[in-house]
Amino acid sequence: MASSGAKKVRSKEKPGNSPAMLPTLTPSERVDLLRKMVLIRRFEQKAAQAFMQAKIRGFCHLYIGQEAVAVGSISTLHPTDAVITAYRDHGHALARGMSSRECMAELFGKITGCSRGKGGSMHFFSKEKHFHGGHGIVGGQTPLAAGIAFAQKYNGTGEVTVCYLGDGAVNQGAFHEALNLAALWKLPVIYVIENNEYSMGTHQSRSSAGYPLVKRADGYDMAGITANGNDVDDVREKMWDAVQLARTESLPSLVEIKTYRYRGHSMSDPGNYRTKEEIAERKKESEPISMFKERLYKEKVLTEKEYEEIERQAVAEAEDAIAFAEASAEPEVATVFEDIHAPEDQIAEFRPPIGS
Amino acid sequence: MAVITMREALNQALSEEMERDGRVILMGEEVAEYQGAYKVSSGLLQKFGAKRVLDTPISESGFAGLGVGAAMQGLRPVVEFMTWSFSMVAYDQIVNNAGAIRYMSGGQYSIPIVFRGSSGAGLQVGATHSHTPENWYANVPAMTVITPAFPDDAKGLLKSAIRSNNPVCFIENEKLYGFKGEVPEGDVLTTIGQARICREGSQVTLIANSASTHVALASAEQLAADGISAEVVDLRTIKPLDIPTILASVVKTSRVVIVEENKPFAGWGAQVAYEIQHRAFDSLDAPIERVTGLDVPQPYARVLEQAVMPSAERVTEAAKKTLG
């Protein structure tokens, strides 16, 4: 892991079982983390197959290889905390507890999809799960996250917001504006750079000046934290510090999590900018699911047989999601005019009927 | 009825709505301690405190997006652009986030946000500071676009905009902040989406908005002196357009001149002209004329800028052309 020049987290040490301490997970809770990672992997593989069969169209950015980031970080949150991300959003949505069925149906453009077939791969939403998208413009979600955190603080809810972005987003103006506002107004938001080294096909060495990327926290006097995104335990530990900082002191932080995607930028990407050997090497040395599985074997909280069952269930769930998506209805064409405006309740409706 | 300026009317609207609803906040450059670059927010910091009246850094993309995020989470932000010319660096946040999140999420979110601020040319501030972007934002399907011309409408429409559960671009015109007019006291709302006949006439309809309404009214005076009766329709709201009021006037006069400060290509007047020819073709006795800002970047020199702006003289000439 690259060492950070950024300010270290200022979490307060508290003794015993105080809320500031990362809770120790029970064996079954640890196995649940693995289960979620495996589910994301199998969901994405099924989505890739469906894309190749032209059942999923448009863009489809897969999360394979990065599962420990979403699962580890979201496991440190309360259910009512806010999560928002960019367009590689399937993993975060599943880690947040959205159903495989509603996610796959959205990829298929079906009315049963999490966005009623209007968002597609890049625009998953579940207000109920406090999953606020799924955003397609690089860095465009980062000011939204500051605003969600602003409202959390304004209302005194004690909730926090986690905002994911890729390493390619750190050079967008919106990101810097969001960091400045978050630090200036002490907003309870955690910006997580998922550094998978490539912004589409451009290696970070050709797109960003100033390493490690977490140093960008320095300019805004924010806590900067780094984590190993192949190690779900490390992600949890480091994210916990950031979440506590937000929750107890209403301070933002920037967390850079090193990860690696095994598939192309999107399904349309042949990946000519890196070698197969590079990908194979990364898988061999730090594949997140295998690493965690082996650790659980060593801890004697998981057997090979149990792991096989986890795999079987994940595949079954992904297949069920495909079947559900295929069986679901297309949206009625009339729904194209729905969901544009919220109903008015403080003033009279003032828009003429559609098509008048 | 009290006679107050447009800026005072806007200030009253903000103050009354913030008083009424604790979810309403105001943010923007210089809105708090400086009391507003155009003094629209004067006194609001003292009244509502720094939690609700927030000076932002010069960071339009950041604070416009922050406002959208806060709206997603249930607040009702009023985001001030010092001028709408600066909104272009926040365009992605306004168009893709305020404009599309409800739709992209299948209707899960409401985005009750008002973007507001000054706009317009004629004050010799050059190309970057002189935009009238109502046609740009009216192109966003979810957006409501309001452009008041008089203090009473400014107040009543801003109050309605703040109470709307949907994103609104409320585009004021710098030239009008000192314009005085009668404004009813108290909680009086103006309905969004309704045009107003601000001068009745029978021979030609002048359709305008915002500062151009005053250009049209000046032209109507000139036309009256020449014995021509012009009706002036102030659209007040660009989107949604009040097509019934427009058509009723066209049916009455059979001749139309559209007056708009923005540039001609795909300006809102082109849309109005389309609607009229499509719906009232048989009522027209002459081709529709448009008087717009000229299709050049806004120049600085007074003589050049005045040539670029719509003027009463150009409107009068166009009106006479429709009359043959």
Side-chain angles (χ1 to χ4, degrees):
Chain A
M1 200 191 318
S3 67
S4 166
K7 180 172 296 209
K8 293 293 182 246
V9 59
R10 289 162 286 182
S11 61
K12 289 175 181 167
E13 292 293 333
K14 291 184 185 169
N17 282 333
S18 86
M21 300 288 284
L22 175 65
T24 306
L25 295 182
T26 63
S28 81
E29 286 169 334
R30 282 173 67 68
V31 172
D32 275 344
L33 295 180
L34 182 68
R35 187 173 284 120
K36 283 197 174 116
M37 289 166 63
V38 173
L39 173 65
I40 293 169
R41 178 73 56 95
R42 299 305 168 217
F43 177 97
E44 293 290 62
Q45 287 170 340
K46 289 289 171 194
Q49 282 174 12
F51 187 91
M52 298 306 288
Q53 295 165 345
K55 290 175 180 168
I56 297 171
R57 309 302 293 259
F59 286 128
C60 187
H61 307 87
L62 301 180
Y63 200 62
I64 292 173
Q66 302 184 208
E67 297 89 344
V69 180
V71 171
S73 55
I74 288 172
S75 76
T76 65
L77 299 179
H78 296 167
T80 53
D81 289 331
V83 172
I84 183 168
T85 185
Y87 46 80
R88 195 179 306 284
D89 61 351
H90 312 168
H92 308 96
L94 293 170
R96 195 57 176 145
M98 288 170 66
S99 75
S100 298
R101 284 184 163 195
E102 65 182 323
C103 292
M104 194 66 82
E106 187 61 31
L107 296 180
F108 277 59
K110 298 298 181 71
I111 191 68
T112 51
C114 59
S115 301
R116 302 182 80 217
K118 284 178 171 155
S121 166
M122 300 187 286
H123 309 118
F124 284 8
F125 287 88
S126 173
K127 193 172 181 186
E128 183 197 345
K129 298 282 185 187
H130 303 272
F131 181 78
H132 301 302
H135 294 271
I137 302 297
V138 172
Q141 79 281 16
T142 55
L144 297 178
I148 294 166
F150 177 91
Q152 289 167 330
K153 185 174 183 180
Y154 187 91
N155 290 325
T157 63
E159 291 153 355
V160 305
T161 297
V162 175
C163 177
Y164 299 89
L165 57 139
D167 48 296
V170 303
N171 302 315
Q172 282 280 36
F175 170 63
H176 288 266
E177 296 191 27
L179 286 194
N180 182 56
L181 283 162
L184 188 69
W185 291 354
K186 296 188 167 43
L187 303 178
V189 57
I190 301 107
Y191 287 101
V192 176
I193 304 169
E194 294 193 64
N195 184 353
N196 66 20
E197 300 183 25
Y198 292 90
S199 48
M200 195 167 158
T202 303
H203 189 260
Q204 57 178 344
S205 61
R206 294 196 296 123
S207 68
S208 291
Y211 288 98
L213 299 179
V214 73
K215 274 205 306 189
R216 280 156 166 75
D218 278 357
Y220 304 102
D221 198 23
M222 283 168 69
I225 301 167
T226 55
N228 176 1
N230 299 313
D231 182 343
V232 70
D233 286 320
D234 194 56
V235 171
R236 270 179 55 76
E237 194 178 316
K238 305 298 171 50
M239 270 301 288
W240 180 258
D241 288 342
V243 169
Q244 291 313 301
L245 201 55
R247 200 179 311 281
T248 63
E249 299 182 48
S250 193
L251 287 173
S253 47
L254 180 64
V255 183
E256 180 182 3
I257 303 185
K258 298 289 183 64
T259 181
Y260 195 79
R261 67 170 151 76
Y262 297 152
R263 303 293 290 256
H265 166 72
S266 73
M267 284 299 295
S268 324
D269 170 20
N272 295 333
Y273 46 85
R274 58 182 181 175
T275 62
K276 287 191 176 118
E277 290 72 27
E278 176 183 312
I279 300 169
E281 183 65 25
R282 293 307 190 88
K283 278 187 188 169
K284 196 174 145 198
E285 71 190 21
S286 57
E287 199 284 306
I289 291 175
S290 302
M291 272 176 62
F292 191 47
K293 177 183 68 177
E294 295 298 329
R295 187 175 299 154
L296 294 181
Y297 287 163
K298 272 189 204 153
E299 291 173 9
K300 309 275 188 220
V301 299
L302 181 74
T303 65
E304 284 187 37
K305 199 169 171 199
E306 285 164 342
Y307 180 72
E308 281 166 20
E309 179 58 16
I310 288 172
E311 280 283 359
R312 196 194 61 74
Q313 285 175 355
V315 169
E317 182 169 339
E319 284 173 348
D320 169 74
I322 293 273
F324 173 80
E326 287 194 299
S328 291
E330 307 268 4
E332 297 284 338
V333 173
T335 65
V336 78
F337 291 122
E338 296 173 358
D339 307 321
I340 303 167
H341 296 111
E344 300 294 353
D345 58 6
Q346 297 192 60
I347 53 174
E349 290 286 356
F350 56 86
R351 295 177 188 87
I354 297 278
S356 66
Chain B
M1 220 183 297
V3 174
I4 60 172
T5 62
M6 186 87 121
R7 76 161 50 79
E8 289 166 329
L10 291 163
N11 181 272
Q12 285 184 5
L14 289 167
S15 182
E16 289 172 16
E17 293 307 300
M18 291 185 74
E19 185 82 56
R20 190 185 60 81
D21 186 344
R23 298 169 298 176
V24 179
I25 57 170
L26 173 68
M27 65 175 74
E29 294 151 7
E30 312 290 5
V31 299
E33 296 199 3
Y34 193 90
Q35 306 288 306
Y38 296 98
K39 305 297 175 211
V40 169
S41 57
S42 183
L44 297 181
L45 171 67
Q46 286 67 26
K47 200 164 177 187
F48 298 104
K51 185 182 175 187
R52 298 181 64 194
V53 183
L54 297 106
D55 279 323
T56 64
I58 300 170
S59 187
E60 284 84 2
S61 173
F63 69 74
L66 189 151
V68 177
M72 290 171 77
Q73 196 74 359
L75 299 187
R76 303 179 77 87
V78 177
V79 172
E80 176 174 315
F81 295 119
M82 190 184 291
T83 103
W84 273 93
S85 291
F86 305 159
S87 73
M88 278 179 282
V89 294
Y91 204 64
D92 175 51
Q93 296 299 327
I94 301 169
V95 174
N96 283 319
N97 288 345
I101 281 176
R102 179 173 179 81
Y103 196 75
M104 288 192 298
S105 68
Q108 295 182 62
Y109 294 82
S110 301
I111 315 288
I113 190 168
V114 177
F115 299 105
R116 54 154 291 272
S118 116
S119 74
L123 298 166
Q124 289 189 265
V125 288
T128 59
H129 282 54
S130 300
H131 296 289
T132 38
E134 40 263 45
N135 52 325
W136 307 346
Y137 292 110
N139 201 246
V140 179
M143 204 60 76
T144 298
V145 180
I146 297 171
T147 58
F150 296 96
D152 54 345
D153 288 337
K155 181 176 176 184
L157 284 165
L158 183 55
K159 286 168 71 75
S160 292
I162 292 170
R163 296 188 198 186
S164 173
N165 293 331
N166 294 285
V168 176
C169 290
F170 193 94
I171 302 177
E172 300 146 22
N173 194 299
E174 186 183 347
K175 294 183 287 296
L176 300 179
Y177 279 136
F179 186 90
K180 286 187 178 172
E182 289 190 337
V183 176
E185 316 266 334
D187 200 28
V188 179
L189 300 188
T190 304
T191 304
I192 298 169
Q194 290 185 358
R196 147 152 109 174
I197 308 292
C198 51
R199 179 183 175 120
E200 295 212 28
S202 59
Q203 290 173 278
V204 59
T205 298
L206 311 180
I207 300 173
N209 76 326
S210 188
S212 297
T213 296
H214 300 279
V215 175
L217 285 168
S219 170
E221 282 292 317
Q222 293 177 355
L223 290 163
D226 290 339
I228 298 166
S229 169
E231 179 149 297
V232 177
V233 177
D234 172 18
L235 291 177
R236 302 197 284 194
T237 301
I238 294 298
K239 192 174 189 180
L241 275 174
D242 182 358
I243 291 171
T245 298
I246 294 169
L247 294 184
S249 184
V250 172
V251 167
K252 185 171 156 190
T253 66
S254 305
R255 295 172 176 83
V256 179
V257 178
I258 297 165
V259 191
E260 52 191 314
E261 191 175 311
N262 47 246
K263 305 304 176 187
F265 193 92
W268 59 259
Q271 184 69 29
V272 171
Y274 165 78
E275 298 289 352
I276 293 169
Q277 65 80 31
H278 187 64
R279 297 164 191 259
F281 188 75
D282 292 338
S283 297
L284 289 172
D285 284 346
I288 297 167
E289 293 291 324
R290 287 175 72 204
V291 176
T292 73
L294 299 185
D295 202 13
V296 299
Q298 205 68 12
Y300 162 70
R302 180 175 164 76
V303 63
L304 296 180
E305 179 163 51
Q306 288 306 308
V308 166
M309 302 288 290
S311 65
E313 289 69 29
R314 278 170 62 200
V315 177
T316 298
E317 188 184 338
K320 287 179 175 172
K321 195 172 166 192
T322 66
L323 287 152

